[in-house]
Amino acid sequence: MKKQTKEKLALEIIERLKAEYPDAECTLDYNQAWKLLVSVRLAAQCTDARVNVVVEGLYAKFPDVEALAAAEVSEIEEIVKPCGLGHSKARDISACMKILKEKYDGNVPDDFDALLKLPGVGRKSANLIMGDVFGKPAIVTDTHCIRLVNRMGLVDGIKDPKKVEMELWKIIPPEEGNDFCHRLVNHGREVCTARTKPYCERCCLQDICKKAGV
C-alpha cells in the first residue's frame, strides 16, 4: 500500500477509534512523573492491574524519589516481586531513582534521549512518559499496537517495536500518536484480541481492516 493511501487509512482509523474510545488513557495509576517511571518498569511481563496494586505498598513505604533512592534493592524487591522479574526490576528502579535525585533534582527529564539513558527505560517507556506526562508527540509500540497495526495494514509484517514506531511516525499525525496508541490498547483488549479469534463482527473498523474476518 502506498504511503499516501496508508496515511488516509490511518486518519480514518484514528477518527473511528476516537468515537469508540473517547476517554482512552494510560491504565497505569500515577499522580507524579516518577511514579509512572516506576510503574512502566514493573509492567514488563505483568498486567497493569497488578502493578497498580503493588505500587500502593511500595509508595506507602517509600513515598518519594529520595526515599526510594535510599532504599536497599532487597527492600524494593520484596515489595515488587509479585510483578515478576523482581530483582532486575528492583535494581533498575533503585538505580533510576538515584539518578533522578543526583542529576535531575528528583524530577523526571522531559527529553527523550535523557529518558533512554535511565536504567530499565526503553523506547516504549520513554514514549509513554513523553506523551502522558509532558504532552509531547509520542508513539508507544506495545504488543497491542504492533499486533493491531499489522492486522489493519498500517504496517506490513513488521514486528520489531522500533521499526513499527518509525513506520507509524510517517503516517500518524504527531499530535494524535499518544492517544491513538492508548486506544489501540483498549481495542486490543476488547475486540481485536490476541488469545482468541478477533471479534471482527463487532469491530468499528471491519469494513476497512485488511484482516477483517480472516
Side-chain angles (χ1 to χ4, degrees):
M1 190 183 290
K2 293 177 182 175
K3 181 188 172 192
Q4 189 175 7
T5 315
K6 282 187 177 178
E7 283 179 344
K8 189 176 177 183
L9 176 63
L11 291 174
E12 181 64 27
I13 289 171
I14 286 168
E15 289 310 309
R16 292 192 189 191
L17 291 180
K18 268 186 189 176
E20 197 76 6
Y21 310 101
D23 303 316
E25 59 186 5
C26 181
T27 49
L28 291 167
D29 294 338
Y30 69 98
N31 56 11
Q32 295 177 70
W34 68 271
K35 290 183 178 179
L36 182 58
L37 202 54
V38 169
S39 289
V40 167
R41 182 64 189 98
L42 293 177
Q45 298 178 42
C46 182
T47 64
D48 290 0
R50 175 170 287 184
V51 171
N52 289 339
V53 172
V54 169
V55 293
E56 287 185 17
L58 185 67
Y59 303 148
K61 190 167 185 180
F62 306 110
D64 52 36
V65 170
E66 194 163 304
L68 208 44
E72 294 292 333
V73 171
S74 58
E75 291 180 290
I76 300 171
E77 182 180 355
E78 184 64 28
I79 298 170
V80 304
K81 63 184 179 182
C83 295
L85 305 172
H87 185 68
S88 62
K89 289 180 178 180
R91 189 184 60 223
D92 285 344
I93 289 168
S94 173
C96 196
M97 294 302 114
K98 282 180 168 68
I99 292 170
L100 293 190
K101 179 190 169 190
E102 292 162 11
K103 192 172 179 180
Y104 298 106
D105 296 321
N107 297 308
V108 175
D110 63 350
D111 176 79
F112 188 80
D113 292 327
L115 287 169
L116 284 182
K117 290 175 183 173
L118 296 174
V121 177
R123 296 189 67 85
K124 183 178 81 170
S125 304
N127 268 302
L128 182 66
I129 289 162
M130 291 298 286
D132 271 35
V133 174
F134 300 114
K136 296 189 177 184
I139 289 177
V140 180
T141 50
D142 64 359
T143 54
H144 290 293
C145 173
I146 294 167
R147 184 176 77 255
L148 268 62
V149 296
N150 272 283
R151 281 180 177 173
M152 295 167 179
L154 294 178
V155 302
D156 303 308
I158 304 172
K159 298 298 167 65
D160 178 78
K162 184 177 179 181
K163 290 179 180 175
V164 171
E165 181 193 331
M166 293 303 121
E167 288 301 304
L168 292 178
W169 279 119
K170 297 174 187 175
I171 57 173
I172 304 290
E175 69 279 4
E176 298 286 358
N178 192 54
D179 288 343
F180 173 63
C181 292
H182 285 323
R183 292 187 174 103
L184 289 178
V185 172
N186 289 150
H187 197 61
R189 286 175 177 161
E190 296 176 22
V191 179
C192 199
T193 53
R195 293 182 181 172
T196 62
K197 191 176 178 185
Y199 301 101
C200 296
E201 69 282 355
R202 54 184 172 89
C203 178
C204 62
L205 307 171
Q206 185 182 7
D207 59 314
I208 58 172
C209 176
K210 187 177 79 168
K211 291 281 181 73
V214 175

